[in-house]
Amino acid sequence: MVPNLIFGIPTHGFFVALGVAVATAVFVLECRRRGALGEESLVAVTGALVGGAIGMRLSSIAETLDPYESWMFGARSVLGGLLGAYVGVLIAKRIIGYRERTGDLFAPAVALGMAVGRVGCHLTEAPGRPTGLPWGVHAPTTLPSCPGCVSGVAMHPSFLYEIAFQLAAFGLLWWLRTRISAPGELFTLYVSAYAVFRFLVEFTRANETVWLDLTRPQWFLLPGLVLVVVRLRIGHRRGHYDVVLRRKVAA
């Protein structure tokens, strides 16, 4: 049975908090390595934390159409949190007049923090859609909004898929951070990869489909996927990924 509390904190909230702590530690380490640890970077982190918290709470308005219910009891969407964190950083930097790009500092930190935070999702939320694959999981019948848990069918461990993705992304970003020097490109690669992964993994998630067999997160992501393709093509044409692709640069 999934524990309701860990050290007196709800299980999901505990791992979210732990993920934020891990992400902050990685961010500080990367700031130190780049010589960017100062008041400006700390303000950016504050903006990310505040914006992420607000974004997660507001993310369910589209479902409930009730601002009070969404704020107090709504789902804590990771996509809403990421969007809120991004907007929060932009606002915080604008307030203090800081013009340097900080996305590359956040990319590895966010990936590792997400991997930790998703452990809480795996322990407390419906795993995914039914599957006949040998790695299907059986979850406790006490999980909310999980018909498959009650009927005892095997389900996709969709959150484990994401944990694996985020850990792999962190390892790759950590390796690339000394190889891609163009400002903002490391962050662009992470966001692009996660957008594609999240769209695909939604086919295994337990989220409700709303139109054309796609979920709300998938419809939310569709416009972003178009922008991702355009943005990656621009970076590719400018040679920002030459080192990674081992493409010869003209002498």
Side-chain angles (χ1 to χ4, degrees), residues 73-239:
F73 310 109
R76 306 297 191 258
S77 166
V78 168
L79 290 177
L82 287 175
L83 179 60
Y86 179 72
V87 174
V89 170
L90 293 181
I91 293 175
K93 288 167 59 177
R94 187 172 184 83
I95 290 174
I96 64 174
Y98 187 56
R99 299 180 181 275
E100 298 296 324
R101 295 188 179 184
T102 55
D104 293 345
L105 298 171
F106 280 103
V110 171
L112 189 57
M114 288 275 287
V116 175
R118 281 305 194 188
V119 174
C121 297
H122 176 66
L123 294 176
T124 61
E125 298 183 23
R129 300 180 186 180
T131 180
L133 294 173
W135 54 80
V137 297
H138 297 270
T141 59
T142 53
L143 290 183
S145 304
C146 183
C149 300
V150 177
S151 60
V153 301
M155 293 168 286
H156 280 285
S158 62
F159 294 114
L160 294 184
Y161 297 158
E162 181 158 353
I163 291 170
F165 167 82
Q166 297 293 355
L167 290 175
F170 170 74
L172 183 59
L173 291 168
W174 199 252
W175 179 74
L176 288 174
R177 78 195 201 286
T178 60
R179 291 167 171 81
I180 294 182
S181 57
E185 292 306 315
L186 197 66
F187 182 73
T188 296
L189 289 174
Y190 172 66
V191 171
S192 301
Y194 183 59
V196 173
F197 168 81
R198 181 58 194 270
F199 184 86
L200 295 176
V201 82
E202 275 294 307
F203 289 110
T204 71
R205 294 279 298 273
N207 292 328
E208 176 189 6
T209 57
V210 292
W211 190 42
L212 299 179
D213 288 330
L214 298 180
T215 65
R216 286 185 177 86
Q218 286 175 313
W219 284 109
F220 176 86
L221 285 165
L222 273 176
L225 291 174
V226 176
L227 295 177
V228 158
V229 172
V230 174
R231 181 62 179 80
L232 289 176
R233 290 192 65 182
I234 292 174
H236 183 264
R237 284 204 307 269
R238 293 177 177 175

